[in-house]
Amino acid sequence: MTYTIGIWLWIIGFPALFLAGYRRFGDWMPFGTPMWLAGFPALAMLSWTTYCRFFWPKLHPPTWNAPSYTVVCWLYCSSYNVLWSNLAYLIAFVGVAATVLAVRRRHVAGYILLGFGVFALPLGLPAVYEGYRRITKTHGEVRP
């Protein structure tokens, strides 16, 4: 029971590391805000998806309390159906694309960041924050 509580507290709290890195280093790092809030979570998702799919020792039968950084990863770890792993890769690549668009300051970046963040929850929480911030900032501008 303590393993389950500990692993899920770690998983829920892990996105706070990206938010803390953004608060501390986001301003002086090149491409700081998009990298800390979307790029690094997307890279973490890519690396963990690869690890889980190819190197994680598969328990038989699959267990519901395997460490999972997103809902899609949890679906993979609890079934070992590669469809969920492929979907995790797709979501991670959307996060990379959202980061590139955010760095280039494209108008649509906020929506894609928000989409990536929602589909990558709880790991995508920083991207939800950045996407929401960009969308509300864009809509709040008064144009002549």
Side-chain angles (χ1 to χ4, degrees):
M1 184 66 169
T2 57
Y3 166 80
T4 302
I5 292 170
I7 204 73
W8 284 102
L9 285 174
W10 169 255
I11 289 164
I12 291 169
F14 190 75
L17 295 175
F18 297 116
L19 292 167
Y22 158 69
R23 284 185 54 214
R24 178 143 171 102
F25 304 111
D27 291 337
W28 62 270
M29 202 176 137
F31 316 121
T33 301
M35 283 306 295
W36 277 104
L37 299 179
F40 291 148
L43 291 175
M45 189 171 179
L46 280 171
S47 61
W48 288 332
T49 298
T50 302
Y51 175 75
C52 287
R53 182 157 178 185
F54 299 108
F55 303 109
W56 178 263
K58 310 290 188 281
L59 300 173
H60 292 286
T63 179
W64 63 270
N65 69 342
S68 306
Y69 50 90
T70 67
V71 173
V72 177
C73 175
W74 179 79
L75 289 168
Y76 173 71
C77 288
S78 62
S79 69
Y80 301 134
N81 186 340
V82 295
L83 168 75
W84 299 118
S85 178
N86 292 340
L87 188 57
Y89 276 120
L90 178 66
I91 293 169
F93 284 121
V94 167
V96 171
T99 304
V100 170
L101 291 172
V103 165
R104 293 183 178 178
R105 301 188 187 280
R106 302 291 188 220
H107 175 69
V108 74
Y111 295 102
I112 298 175
L113 283 167
L114 192 59
F116 163 67
V118 167
F119 285 114
L121 282 174
L123 181 66
L125 192 60
V128 169
Y129 168 73
E130 178 62 11
Y132 178 77
R133 193 173 69 97
R134 285 175 183 255
I135 290 169
T136 57
K137 186 169 108 177
T138 302
H139 290 301
E141 293 176 358
V142 177
R143 300 197 183 241

